[in-house]
């Protein structure tokens, strides 16, 4: 894990603690305004009106404002993480295709598909590693596993994993055993990285939704 | 609840990968198709009402008509057991099913494989990962077959077959171009719950 990951995780922790400590507003009015001392106006539908007691406004305002700021922060962290995943080449355009298939009727589609991949890829990589540790290595079998892994990773947009699989198969075609062998550790590492980043992404999604926010859409 | 003014077309999707099945199902349903997914060519043939002589469950030939009409078959090429190519052949050999359009999907861009499939009667060949833009190309094939063609000569009405290429397939696949139809040995533990999912 790098510094950025750690910072992201810390942000998530801070954010979730703040959300837990925030008091739920007792009544929800669709037109209530929240004005703080710095004249920042926050309203759920952009309408300004006045409440009787300034004090109760401030208290409610601070609570709601804090909550809104937490959601904003979570959303920013989410967007930053997602952008970095594309920029670093961990995800490719296919992942965006998956996101576009997700809608209010299928809210968990990306999560379901990626979870299937975690299972599938995890199993395949374990098979690869154990097969490589055999006395007599069955390279044809290993190539078949890598073929499957390449297909799955391509299907969900896990670009780096797909790329290592492709490199492996090129070595296999040239009967370059050492080349094949050298791909296994990177493959495992890429999978571990992919899994932890996507899990962080999904955790952020859950927290954003729990805090009443919406998941930011990426623009390409 | 909206009322469907147009009848839904029914697609049979065949793929041994549970992940790819989920994906193709979502792609098709998003495009308003009714979808049945199966995890093997053998099960596809069972569903279609053709008995596969190589099937493990060698029961007596079932004479029943398929109860649900299938408007299009989309199948993965590389599968354990009978391949997508074998499935294509069997469908085209069947008098009752040969008019159903068949689309082949493959993760490998092998020209000889593609031409073999097209020669055998496939209507399209999609490179994986299949995208919404690919699925949008299915409708003409379904409509073409469902219209009673007066013209005896079917070749005149055959649309130009094109091969789609996903935009994220950056580096070309430099694997050997030879393909005698044998996929790399598939060793896949079948852990999918049910064989047939009708949705």
């Amino acid at each position: 894990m790098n510094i950025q990951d750690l910072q992201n995780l810390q942000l998530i922790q801070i954010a979730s603690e703040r959300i837990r400590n925030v008091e739920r507003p007792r009544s929800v009015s669709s037109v209530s305004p929240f004005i703080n001392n710095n004249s920042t106006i926050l309203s759920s539908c952009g309408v300004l009106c006045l409440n009787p007691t300034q004090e109760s406004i401030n208290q409610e305002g601070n609570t709601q404002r804090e909550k809104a700021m937490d959601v904003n922060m979570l959303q920013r962290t989410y967007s930053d993480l997602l952008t970095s995943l594309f920029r670093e080449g961990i995800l490719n355009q296919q992942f965006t295709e998956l996101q576009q298939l997700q809608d209010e009727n299928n809210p968990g589609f990306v999560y379901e598909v990626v979870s299937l991949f975690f299972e599938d890829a995890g199993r395949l990589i374990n098979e690869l590693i154990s097969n490589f540790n055999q006395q007599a290595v069955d390279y044809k079998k290993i190539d078949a596993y890598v073929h499957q892994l390449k297909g799955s990773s391509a299907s969900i947009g896990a670009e780096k994993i797909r790329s290592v699989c492709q490199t492996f198969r090129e070595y296999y075609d040239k009967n370059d055993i050492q080349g094949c062998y050298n791909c296994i550790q990177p493959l495992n590492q890429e999978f571990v990285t992919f899994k932890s980043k996507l899990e962080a992404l999904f955790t952020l999604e859950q927290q954003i939704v729990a805090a009443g926010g919406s998941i930011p859409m990426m623009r390409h | 609840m909206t009322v469907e003014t147009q009848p839904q077309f029914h697609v049979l999707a065949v793929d041994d990968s549970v992940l790819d099945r989920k994906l193709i199902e979502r792609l098709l349903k998003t495009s308003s198709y009714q979808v049945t997914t199966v995890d093997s060519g053998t099960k596809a043939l069972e569903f279609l009402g053709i008995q596969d002589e190589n099937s493990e469950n060698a029961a007596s030939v079932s004479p029943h008509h398929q109860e649900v009409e299938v408007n299009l078959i989309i199948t993965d090429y590389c599968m354990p057991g009978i391949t997508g190519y074998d499935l294509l052949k069997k469908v085209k050999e069947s008098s009752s099913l040969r008019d159903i359009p068949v689309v082949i999907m493959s993760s490998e861009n092998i020209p000889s494989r593609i031409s073999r499939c097209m020669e055998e009667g496939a209507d399209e060949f999609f490179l994986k990962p299949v995208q919404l833009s690919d699925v949008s190309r299915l409708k003409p094939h379904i409509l073409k077959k469902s219209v009673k063609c007066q013209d005896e000569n079917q070749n005149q009405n055959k649309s130009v077959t094109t091969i789609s290429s996903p935009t994220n397939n950056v580096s070309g696949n430099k694997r050997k171009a030879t393909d005698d139809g044998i996929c790399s040995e598939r060793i896949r533990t079948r852990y999918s719950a049910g064989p047939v999912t009708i949705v």
Side-chain angles (χ1 to χ4, degrees):
Chain A
M1 262 207 200
N2 60 28
I3 298 281
Q4 190 57 43
D5 293 329
L6 215 50
Q7 283 172 348
N8 285 342
L9 277 180
Q10 281 169 351
L11 278 172
I12 294 168
Q13 279 164 3
I14 294 166
S16 53
E17 268 181 43
R18 277 165 116 195
I19 287 165
R20 274 198 292 275
N21 294 336
V22 156
E23 222 180 67
R24 286 184 180 280
R26 266 162 274 123
S27 65
V28 179
S29 161
S30 58
V31 215
S32 359
F34 302 107
I35 311 163
N36 70 2
N37 293 333
N38 296 332
S39 309
T40 309
I41 300 166
L42 284 171
S43 140
S44 55
C45 53
V47 176
L48 172 66
C49 59
L50 296 171
N51 269 2
T53 35
Q54 192 62 33
E55 207 181 306
S56 68
I57 293 175
N58 285 344
Q59 279 177 2
E60 277 283 295
N62 287 338
T63 301
Q64 289 297 328
R65 187 164 43 85
E66 219 175 48
K67 200 171 171 187
M69 282 167 67
D70 287 337
V71 171
N72 284 339
M73 185 180 62
L74 285 171
Q75 287 170 328
R76 266 203 309 279
T77 309
Y78 176 89
S79 292
D80 289 347
L81 178 56
L82 194 54
T83 303
S84 75
L85 289 175
F86 280 94
R87 195 180 52 240
E88 290 165 32
I90 292 174
L91 292 178
N92 64 27
Q93 176 65 19
Q94 178 62 16
F95 189 79
T96 309
E97 294 278 329
L98 293 185
Q99 290 180 307
Q100 284 167 3
L101 289 172
Q102 182 165 293
D103 56 24
E104 54 274 358
N105 297 323
N106 302 277
F109 176 69
V110 179
Y111 180 79
E112 284 166 30
V113 173
V114 174
S115 302
L116 276 175
F117 177 73
F118 288 162
E119 270 181 54
D120 205 36
R123 177 183 58 87
L124 286 167
I125 289 174
N126 283 338
E127 293 280 5
L128 281 174
I129 292 171
S130 68
N131 267 281
F132 255 106
N133 289 334
Q134 306 275 358
Q135 288 253 340
V137 182
D138 184 347
Y139 283 97
K140 198 168 169 194
K141 200 166 163 185
I142 284 174
D143 184 57
Y145 285 134
V146 176
H147 174 82
Q148 288 174 34
L149 184 58
K150 180 165 169 253
S152 305
S153 54
S155 290
I156 62 156
E159 173 58 26
K160 281 207 169 163
I161 297 173
R162 186 205 65 81
S163 178
V164 178
C165 288
Q166 183 160 315
T167 304
F168 175 99
R169 302 199 85 208
E170 283 163 12
Y171 280 125
Y172 178 80
D173 281 347
K174 293 187 283 195
N175 289 320
D176 187 341
I177 305 292
Q178 189 60 44
C180 287
Y181 183 78
N182 290 343
C183 287
I184 299 301
Q185 171 53 25
L187 203 52
N188 189 40
Q189 188 51 53
E190 291 300 341
F191 176 66
V192 167
T193 302
F194 180 83
K195 191 155 187 254
S196 75
K197 298 230 172 191
L198 269 286
E199 278 171 347
L201 201 69
F202 290 134
T203 302
L204 279 166
E205 276 188 12
Q206 284 167 24
Q207 288 171 331
I208 291 168
V209 169
S214 57
I215 317 286
M217 293 305 290
M218 291 268 298
R219 283 191 215 106
H220 278 277
Chain B
M1 194 109 156
T2 54
V3 177
E4 288 287 332
T5 51
Q6 288 176 342
Q8 270 194 316
F9 290 119
H10 180 213
V11 177
L12 176 65
V14 192
D15 201 317
D16 63 317
S17 157
V18 59
L19 200 153
D20 285 345
R21 273 202 307 282
K22 188 146 187 79
L23 188 53
I24 195 69
E25 178 196 86
R26 182 92 303 274
L27 284 166
L28 289 166
K29 286 172 88 178
T30 293
S31 310
S32 303
Y33 291 104
Q34 189 192 350
V35 188
T36 300
T37 61
V38 294
D39 67 358
S40 73
T42 307
K43 296 207 181 93
L45 290 172
E46 277 175 33
F47 185 81
L48 292 163
I50 319 171
Q51 200 65 23
D52 175 23
E53 62 256 19
N54 295 327
S55 168
E56 289 164 9
N57 317 313
S60 57
V61 177
S62 151
H64 76 276
H65 252 314
Q66 58 186 103
E67 290 178 17
V68 190
E69 191 192 351
V70 171
N71 300 109
L72 185 133
I73 300 164
I74 183 165
T75 176
D76 189 25
Y77 183 93
C78 241
M79 296 188 289
I82 73 168
T83 65
Y85 178 78
D86 300 326
L87 176 61
L88 166 67
K89 271 187 80 168
K90 288 220 185 290
V91 166
K92 292 303 166 187
E93 281 164 10
S94 156
S95 50
S96 56
L97 302 173
R98 70 163 66 105
D99 284 337
I100 301 177
V102 181
V103 171
I104 308 285
M105 304 179 282
S106 177
S107 56
E108 292 177 300
N109 187 356
I110 300 172
S112 57
R113 174 182 292 185
I114 296 168
S115 42
R116 272 175 84 233
C117 289
M118 301 314 283
E119 281 161 22
E120 198 57 45
D123 289 70
E124 288 268 5
F125 191 100
F126 290 161
L127 281 177
K128 282 180 160 183
V130 178
Q131 299 177 335
L132 268 175
S133 53
D134 299 317
V135 175
S136 69
R137 291 172 25 203
L138 296 177
K139 194 63 79 65
H141 297 291
I142 296 174
L143 293 175
K144 179 179 68 182
K145 294 285 158 72
S146 71
V147 168
K148 298 284 182 201
C149 190
Q150 299 293 327
D151 199 333
E152 296 270 302
N153 190 354
Q154 284 182 357
N155 285 333
Q156 285 183 8
N157 292 324
K158 249 198 172 93
S159 57
V160 176
T161 53
T162 51
I163 296 153
S164 73
S165 193
T167 49
N168 62 343
N169 197 355
V170 177
S171 51
N173 195 331
K174 294 190 171 61
R175 297 208 94 195
K176 290 181 283 222
T178 56
D179 177 47
D180 54 3
I182 298 170
C183 303
S184 55
E185 193 183 307
R186 298 305 294 268
I187 300 133
R188 184 182 286 279
T189 320
R190 298 269 183 89
Y191 64 92
S192 55
V196 175
T197 315
I198 301 178
V199 288

